[in-house]
Amino acid sequence: MSPGRLLPVLLAVALLLGGCTGEDGSEEPSRGDVPASPSAGEEAPAPTASERLGLATGWGPSRTQLDRAARQARSMPLTDLAGQVVVARWTGGTEPPTRLVRDLHLGGLVVFDENVASAAGLRAAARGLERAAGRSLLLAVDQEGGLVERIRGEVTSLPALMTAGAAGQPALTRAAHAAVGRELAWTGIDVDLAPDTDVTAGPRDPVIGSRSAGSDPGTVARQGVAAARGLRDAGVVPVVKHFPGHGSLTVDSHRALPVQPRTVQQLERTDLVPFRAAVDAGLPAVMIGHIAVRALDPGVPATVSRPVVTGLLRERLGFAGLVISDALEMAALRGVPRPAVGFLRAGGDVVLMPPDPAATVRSIVGAVREGRLPLRRLQQAAARVLAVQAWQRPRPAAPGTAVGAVRRLADAAVTSVAGPCRGRLVQEAVPMGDPAAVAAFRSAARAAGLPLGEVRLVRPPRPERTGRPARDRARLRAWRMAEPRRVVDGTAVHLLGPGDPAPATGVVVATDRPYVLGTTRARTRLATYGAGRASMAALVAVLLGRQRAPGQLPVPVTGVPRQGC
């Protein structure tokens, strides 16, 4: 071949070997760990399979695992590729939806409480699903702690993440989440859609509340990273959420589309701080919230917004890991055509809980065939899913083994904003409020030896006859209609959740967000940020004077004498 004909061939080969595909499938340099430029005279090493797909390391899977996943994704049929990026809701009660997973080649499932009869049953079902599918799956759960728990009673309950903010000890946060993560791994769970790294705006935040570690971005960043690292220590993939931040919004994305009015510079100082910390810590996964960011893409949910997913998260913050959508069945996406395709085009990887998985897979296949979604963008997303499946190294432990670590976190979080800072607070306690919290309190009190009083209903004595029939009948009717007087034998301990009115007497305890403590004049006011066994046991220890309440309010509360002891 003559030199004139050889040169174009050599240039074409060089371009083929040196180029790699960006998030949208276009040919551009990878942002990840591209090999250093060779010295003069050295031959440039050929890019690996994962580098050609624009996949960087530093967030979990090794380069070897990414290469293997990239080769696997490039060899998969289009329909299997489309299913691989879908993680659907587990339907059908406790019976595993084996046919759905197998027929659609789903990447995984999300477990809810109605799918769990027992920890052992879920463990067996998870193993059976993978055997039937003949491959690894992502089995995910929304197990944040506090009010958001899908596996109740089968693994140790975590209190809400605001507990960690009040305790202020990231090491305790990490240990508690690692211990609970090992219990989740025992049941077959390998992805936890937690922690929630939103920065709460306070009482006007109707959605996040105690799911957040607090209102200070630095506190949320430290505690969120600690919680995520704990889960990762257990071999469970943590998913920080809801990017670019839901805690400052007053609209619930389950019901409508929230609009974020802050500028990017304002977001950098507030909502984005925990997410930047998560990226810098090398955490593996981020969930995108259904939030319209006015400064970047007005009126468009972040889930389907390339300026948010690729521009802000991947390019500005430098995140190279797995991007997961919030549930596509939520009302915030109502009216968005083919949201799964839009999410993948925007730079996302895992399509979470579409309302119709089969239709979603068909829409992804159709978009590729019609040229609306680059094939390499789909291969890139599928490769990340496959790499995570290969990277997981669960370190399971039987249910119940996390009790001690969770109790230590709960002990460190109890906060006293009014009343004595030390010593016994009650001689005999009468718990009132939410039945579940009362039951947990009673159990903890009996175990600790705190006497339990009771509430008696006392009626006035039956009126005596006066000898005047009309008057006697009227007095008897009034006596029968009179409400009995409630007598508390002991000190009332009011266990208050969100929205519960606060009485002015007794001991008032906020078992969720602490704002209710500013609405009462009760002499003793405490916050536990949880109503589970660990939180109630910690509360009882404080009431008995066996330990102090060391926590500090992680959010400002108007009307309280102090932020903590």
Side-chain angles (χ1 to χ4, degrees):
M1 182 179 294
S2 68
R5 296 180 61 190
L6 180 61
L7 183 59
V9 174
L10 293 175
L11 285 173
V13 170
L15 285 172
L16 178 62
L17 294 177
C20 58
T21 307
E23 294 291 332
D24 61 352
S26 60
E27 297 294 329
E28 60 180 33
S30 168
R31 301 188 71 257
D33 48 352
V34 179
S37 300
S39 304
E42 292 184 8
E43 184 178 348
T48 66
S50 59
E51 287 169 347
R52 290 194 186 99
L53 278 183
L55 301 176
T57 58
W59 54 277
S62 66
R63 174 59 68 193
T64 299
Q65 289 167 332
L66 286 168
D67 284 338
R68 188 180 300 116
R71 290 191 294 270
Q72 189 176 349
R74 289 169 72 97
S75 66
M76 290 174 72
L78 177 56
T79 53
D80 287 359
L81 269 178
Q84 185 67 43
V85 300
V86 175
V87 174
R89 176 189 281 267
W90 179 316
T91 56
T94 57
E95 188 68 24
T98 305
R99 184 173 179 179
L100 179 72
V101 171
R102 192 168 49 211
D103 290 354
L104 296 181
H105 198 89
L106 294 180
L109 295 169
V110 182
V111 174
F112 285 82
D113 29 14
E114 63 265 23
N115 310 130
V116 184
S118 67
L122 180 59
R123 176 185 175 94
R127 290 177 170 179
L129 271 169
E130 291 202 336
R131 281 196 302 268
R135 56 193 172 85
S136 295
L137 300 170
L138 296 179
L139 199 61
V141 70
D142 208 350
Q143 193 84 356
E144 297 177 19
L147 297 177
V148 182
E149 282 190 319
R150 307 305 183 195
I151 306 179
R152 291 188 179 274
E154 297 300 322
V155 298
T156 301
S157 291
L158 273 166
L161 194 61
M162 194 168 278
T163 306
Q169 299 185 50
L172 292 181
T173 304
R174 182 170 183 169
H177 283 76
V180 172
R182 284 190 284 271
E183 291 189 15
L184 289 173
W186 188 91
T187 69
I189 296 294
D190 40 42
V191 177
D192 191 358
L193 304 174
D196 191 315
T197 52
D198 296 310
V199 181
T200 179
R204 60 190 180 89
D205 162 20
V207 181
I208 304 303
S210 63
R211 300 165 65 187
S212 166
S215 57
D216 173 64
T219 296
V220 176
R222 287 188 293 275
Q223 298 299 335
V225 167
R229 281 175 166 163
L231 291 169
R232 192 181 60 185
D233 291 344
V236 172
V237 177
V239 181
V240 298
K241 62 185 183 183
H242 307 80
F243 186 86
H246 205 309
S248 60
L249 305 174
T250 58
V251 173
D252 185 349
S253 54
H254 291 86
R255 303 177 181 275
L257 177 64
V259 176
Q260 175 56 264
R262 289 176 172 171
T263 65
V264 174
Q265 290 71 28
Q266 290 171 328
L267 290 172
E268 284 274 16
R269 295 192 296 270
T270 53
D271 301 69
L272 293 180
V273 171
F275 293 102
R276 185 175 288 281
V279 174
D280 292 344
L283 296 180
V286 172
M287 178 184 286
I288 304 294
H290 304 318
I291 300 161
V293 183
R294 187 179 294 166
L296 293 175
D297 209 353
V300 178
T303 328
V304 294
S305 170
R306 184 172 174 81
V308 175
V309 178
T310 294
L312 185 59
L313 177 59
R314 291 214 184 273
E315 294 177 353
R316 187 166 182 139
L317 268 63
F319 182 62
L322 196 70
V323 174
I324 301 176
S325 76
D326 206 343
L328 295 196
E329 60 188 18
M330 291 163 62
L333 291 183
R334 189 178 295 129
V336 176
R338 295 179 293 278
V341 174
F343 172 67
L344 292 166
R345 284 177 55 85
D349 302 310
V350 174
V351 176
L352 192 72
M353 289 170 53
D356 185 338
T360 297
V361 169
R362 289 195 298 271
S363 73
I364 295 170
V365 170
V368 173
R369 287 174 174 166
E370 295 163 12
R372 291 182 288 108
L373 175 65
L375 175 61
R376 288 191 175 184
R377 172 76 273 275
L378 180 59
Q379 291 172 336
Q380 185 183 62
R384 285 198 181 103
V385 175
L386 291 163
V388 167
Q389 290 170 337
W391 167 64
Q392 298 170 106
R393 291 292 182 271
R395 299 172 179 86
T401 53
V403 171
V406 173
R407 172 65 192 275
R408 287 188 286 275
L409 177 62
D411 285 344
V414 181
T415 307
S416 173
V417 300
C421 281
R422 66 179 67 208
R424 187 161 183 153
L425 302 180
V426 300
Q427 298 303 317
E428 195 173 49
V430 182
M432 302 177 181
D434 174 70
V438 168
F441 182 95
R442 286 184 173 277
S443 176
R446 284 191 290 267
L450 173 62
L452 290 169
E454 61 179 12
V455 178
R456 293 183 292 112
L457 298 178
V458 179
R459 297 180 67 91
R462 185 184 180 101
E464 295 181 0
R465 293 184 179 182
T466 64
R468 300 169 63 179
R471 185 177 182 183
D472 288 344
R473 284 194 298 270
R475 293 178 67 188
L476 187 60
R477 280 197 302 270
W479 175 78
R480 286 173 174 166
M481 294 177 64
E483 290 288 337
R485 184 167 58 93
R486 194 169 68 167
V487 177
V488 179
D489 294 332
T491 302
V493 179
H494 302 279
L495 306 171
L496 305 181
D500 290 342
T505 59
V507 176
V508 172
V509 182
T511 62
D512 188 63
R513 56 192 84 184
Y515 309 115
V516 68
L517 299 179
T519 67
T520 176
R521 294 183 179 180
R523 181 172 177 269
T524 303
R525 301 176 230 173
L526 303 166
T528 60
Y529 316 96
R533 294 179 181 178
S535 298
M536 292 300 99
L539 171 63
V540 166
V542 170
L543 295 177
L544 284 168
R546 293 176 182 170
Q547 67 183 44
R548 299 183 64 181
Q552 298 288 309
L553 286 177
V555 292
V557 178
T558 304
V560 296
R562 58 174 183 258
Q563 296 296 297
C565 284

